[in-house]
């Protein structure tokens, strides 16, 4: 999962004739004041593309993404593809989830000699998302040449390392990101996930706790919390955490798998089937998954589905003697006429 920070360098936009009217230094911490001043300046100098680019940056910070893209479009048209305007537009497109459109604009800004650690971080992120890890790493190194302590560069270097299987480097870079920005949630979350995957639950716990204080509705963090609680044998609390995780993100197959196992143990077979079916993409070939699913089907009277699941179990675990017994039992159940149907037939005959 990629973080979507807003990466801003100092704009270095060409000053328009009336740009001196906008004292952004005085209002830098007040987005509404910035918007008011910039809108006034645009009204007096509508042909100044730098003003639109500046307003786009403020709108991005406020989360008004479509409005930011509109202003960035105007900036690019008015400034003749000035590289800093291209960079602002690339950020707006990336924030809107339109990475394929953002990448060529960011590359064009770089080709036009725009020097900014934020631009290189953006290029690193966009290449990471495309699976172009060497390119991503190259741009992130360039970012750190300009800004050696950039927390986003460390974070994305961690993501590249994790994607390429270099867990030690990933852990190191996530920790370096947090040294620069202790309240940076995303490296906390990724660091938590790696520690949980290595069964280093006590190390992971404080990172999870802190990250959840920053992002209480993050599904992945609830999943990690559930795993830590499960390892501590706090099954009821783990059940709550995993339930919260899938309520926030229904695609978390690990949480669904554990919920399915637990619901089966509790005798809640319909719930077990629901969660196990959700877990199928990641766990569908595992013997424990198949045996639990088959049992839940059989317990709930879905004998044909149970038979199919036991047969799949034998494909992955040919020596599973219980599966052979269950298949024989289920074949007999399916072959026998149902008593209730016989009763209905007898009533009809008597009438």
């Amino acid at each position: 999962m990629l973080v979507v920070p807003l990466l801003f360098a100092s704009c270095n936009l060409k000053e328009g004739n009336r740009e001196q009217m906008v004292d952004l230094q005085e209002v830098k911490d007040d987005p509404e004041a910035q918007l008011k001043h910039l809108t006034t300046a645009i009204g007096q100098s509508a042909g100044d593309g730098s003003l639109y680019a500046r307003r786009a940056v403020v709108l991005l910070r406020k989360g008004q993404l479509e409005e930011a893209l509109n202003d960035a479009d105007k900036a690019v048209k008015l400034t003749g593809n000035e590289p800093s305007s291209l960079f602002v537009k690339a950020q707006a497109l990336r924030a809107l989830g339109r990475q394929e459109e953002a990448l060529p604009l960011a590359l064009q800004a770089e080709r036009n000699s725009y020097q900014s650690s934020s631009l290189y971080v953006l290029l690193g992120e966009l290449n990471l998302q495309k699976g172009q890890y060497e390119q991503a790493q190259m741009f992130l190194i360039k970012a750190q040449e300009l800004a050696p302590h950039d927390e986003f560069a460390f974070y994305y270097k961690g993501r590249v390392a994790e994607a390429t299987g270099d867990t030690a480097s990933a852990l190191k870079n996530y920790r370096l990101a947090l040294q620069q920005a202790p309240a940076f949630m995303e490296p906390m979350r990724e660091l938590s996930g790696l520690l949980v995957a290595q069964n280093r639950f006590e190390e992971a716990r404080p990172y999870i706790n802190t990250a959840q204080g920053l992002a209480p509705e993050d599904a992945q963090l609830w999943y990690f919390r559930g795993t830590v609680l499960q390892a501590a044998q706090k099954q009821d609390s783990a059940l709550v955490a995993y339930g919260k995780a899938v309520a926030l993100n229904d695609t978390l197959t690990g949480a669904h798998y554990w919920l399915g196992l637990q619901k089966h143990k509790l005798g809640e077979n319909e719930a077990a089937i629901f969660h196990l079916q959700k877990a199928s993409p990641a766990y569908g070939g595992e013997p424990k998954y198949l045996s639990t699913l088959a049992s839940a089907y059989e317990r709930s009277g879905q004998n044909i589905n149970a038979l199919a699941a036991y047969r799949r179990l034998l494909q992955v675990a040919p020596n599973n003697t219980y599966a052979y017994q269950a298949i024989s039992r289920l074949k007999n159940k399916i072959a026998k006429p149902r008593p209730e149907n016989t009763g209905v037939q007898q009533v009809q005959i008597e009438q």
Side-chain angles (χ1 to χ4, degrees):
M1 182 177 187
L2 290 174
V3 62
V4 187
L6 294 180
L7 310 171
F8 298 107
S10 57
C11 280
N12 294 325
L13 298 170
K14 295 178 181 177
E15 299 283 328
N17 291 334
R18 294 187 177 272
E19 178 61 13
Q20 67 273 16
M21 294 179 61
V22 184
D23 189 352
L24 293 179
Q25 187 63 34
E26 289 184 4
V27 297
K28 63 182 179 180
D29 295 323
D30 187 344
E32 294 301 331
Q34 285 182 313
L35 285 178
K36 181 180 177 181
H37 282 70
L38 285 165
T39 300
T40 299
I42 287 170
Q44 296 174 344
S45 184
D48 185 350
S50 69
L51 294 174
Y52 286 103
R54 285 173 178 264
R55 192 169 69 176
V57 169
V58 178
L59 290 166
L60 275 172
R61 285 178 171 145
K62 285 173 58 64
Q64 296 174 229
L65 305 183
E66 291 291 351
E67 295 92 330
L69 181 57
N70 288 337
D71 271 6
D73 274 331
K74 290 174 184 174
V76 169
K77 290 174 184 176
L78 290 168
T79 60
N81 290 332
E82 203 276 333
S84 56
S85 296
L86 293 170
F87 174 42
V88 172
K89 183 174 179 180
Q91 290 184 87
L93 287 166
R94 183 277 247 107
L96 284 164
R98 295 161 60 178
Q99 287 85 352
E100 290 294 330
E101 297 172 70
L103 181 56
L105 286 173
L107 287 170
Q108 188 177 349
E110 196 247 350
R111 285 194 297 269
N112 289 358
S113 302
Y114 189 67
Q115 294 289 308
S116 160
S117 62
S118 296
L119 172 62
Y120 288 128
V121 169
L122 176 61
L123 284 165
E125 177 200 346
L126 293 171
N127 277 279
L128 167 63
Q129 192 162 358
K130 288 175 66 69
Q132 297 175 346
Y133 302 125
E134 288 186 12
Q135 283 290 98
Q137 184 76 352
M138 178 194 73
F139 285 121
L140 294 168
I141 290 170
K142 286 186 176 182
Q144 290 191 313
E145 289 172 356
L146 295 174
H149 305 296
D150 189 308
E151 65 268 29
F152 292 110
F154 282 123
Y155 169 69
Y156 284 112
K157 284 180 75 175
R159 291 301 303 266
V160 170
E162 187 174 353
T164 54
D166 188 351
T167 303
S169 180
L171 289 168
K172 176 184 175 182
N173 278 286
Y174 292 145
R175 288 192 168 106
L176 287 169
L178 291 173
Q179 285 180 18
Q180 306 306 316
F184 192 175
M185 189 279 292
E186 284 79 6
M188 276 186 225
R189 181 183 59 207
E190 302 308 316
L191 183 55
S192 299
L194 286 178
L195 292 172
V196 165
Q198 295 177 351
N199 297 328
R200 294 159 67 177
F201 302 115
E202 288 307 310
E203 284 185 70
R205 189 190 302 274
Y207 291 112
I208 295 169
N209 290 340
T210 304
Q212 284 200 301
L214 297 167
E217 298 298 300
D218 187 280
Q220 199 72 43
L221 288 169
W222 280 104
Y223 173 61
F224 296 150
R225 176 174 290 280
T227 306
V228 170
L229 290 166
Q230 178 189 350
Q233 300 300 313
K234 297 179 179 178
Q235 305 297 350
D236 290 344
S237 297
L239 199 66
V240 172
Y242 283 133
K244 180 72 171 176
V246 298
L248 291 166
N249 182 352
D250 195 42
T251 67
L252 290 174
T253 54
H256 278 298
Y257 178 58
W258 190 86
L259 285 167
L261 298 182
Q262 289 302 111
K263 293 294 184 181
H264 178 260
K265 286 181 182 178
L266 294 170
E268 300 176 25
N269 295 298
E270 293 294 342
I273 292 166
F274 171 81
H275 289 295
L276 290 170
Q277 287 175 337
K278 292 282 188 179
S280 177
Y283 296 89
E286 293 192 5
K288 187 173 182 62
Y289 169 90
L290 290 167
S291 63
T292 306
L293 180 63
S295 175
Y297 276 137
E298 186 174 4
R299 286 180 182 180
S300 59
Q302 300 181 51
N303 293 331
I304 293 176
N305 288 335
L307 181 61
Y310 279 122
R311 282 172 170 163
R312 292 203 305 275
L313 174 59
L314 282 181
Q315 290 175 358
V316 299
N319 297 324
N320 191 308
T321 56
Y322 181 79
Y324 285 107
Q325 296 169 3
I327 287 171
S328 177
R329 180 176 65 249
L330 286 164
K331 282 182 177 179
N332 288 331
K333 283 184 181 181
I334 293 168
K336 286 180 180 178
R338 296 183 179 180
E340 61 270 22
N341 290 342
T342 303
V344 171
Q345 290 170 358
Q346 289 173 344
V347 170
Q348 289 174 340
I349 292 168
E350 290 171 0
Q351 289 177 342

